[in-house]
């Protein structure tokens, strides 16, 4: 699980985590907004619903975002 700093948006944390897992520069990744509504995702985390989680694929990785802002990235390999 990747911990994000309070001043980092969940979307930035996802991109950074996927970059780390895949070994790809963040600027070389496809835009996150192409696979998920990033505004809705940010609102979900801001609401603080701890029972909430959303899972989607991005850059071949499985991403799970929890309502508390936690992010899990599963390597495609």
């Amino acid at each position: 699980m990747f911990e994000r700093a309070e001043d980092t948006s969940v979307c930035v944390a996802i991109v950074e985590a996927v970059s780390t897992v895949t070994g790809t520069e963040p600027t070389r990744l496809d835009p996150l907004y192409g696979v998920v509504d990033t505004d809705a995702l940010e609102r979900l985390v801001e609401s603080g619903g701890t029972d909430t989680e959303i899972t989607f694929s991005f850059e071949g990785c499985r991403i799970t975002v929890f309502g508390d802002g936690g992010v899990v990235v599963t390597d495609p390999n």
Side-chain angles (χ1 to χ4, degrees):
M1 180 179 267
F2 290 86
E3 296 295 325
R4 69 180 179 91
E6 283 187 41
D7 61 342
T8 301
S9 76
V10 70
C11 293
V12 169
I14 291 168
V15 170
E16 289 175 349
V18 170
S19 173
T20 298
V21 167
T22 64
T24 305
E25 289 294 319
T27 57
R28 295 210 174 264
L29 298 174
D30 288 334
L32 182 59
Y33 63 77
V35 296
V36 69
D37 183 333
T38 55
D39 291 334
L41 189 58
E42 292 291 346
R43 286 192 304 272
L44 174 75
V45 172
E46 287 172 9
S47 71
T50 56
D51 293 337
T52 304
E53 71 179 64
I54 185 169
T55 301
F56 58 93
S57 295
F58 176 58
E59 292 290 329
C61 296
R62 179 181 171 151
I63 313 297
T64 302
V65 180
F66 297 91
D68 65 359
V71 175
V72 174
V73 176
T74 305
D75 187 346
N77 301 318

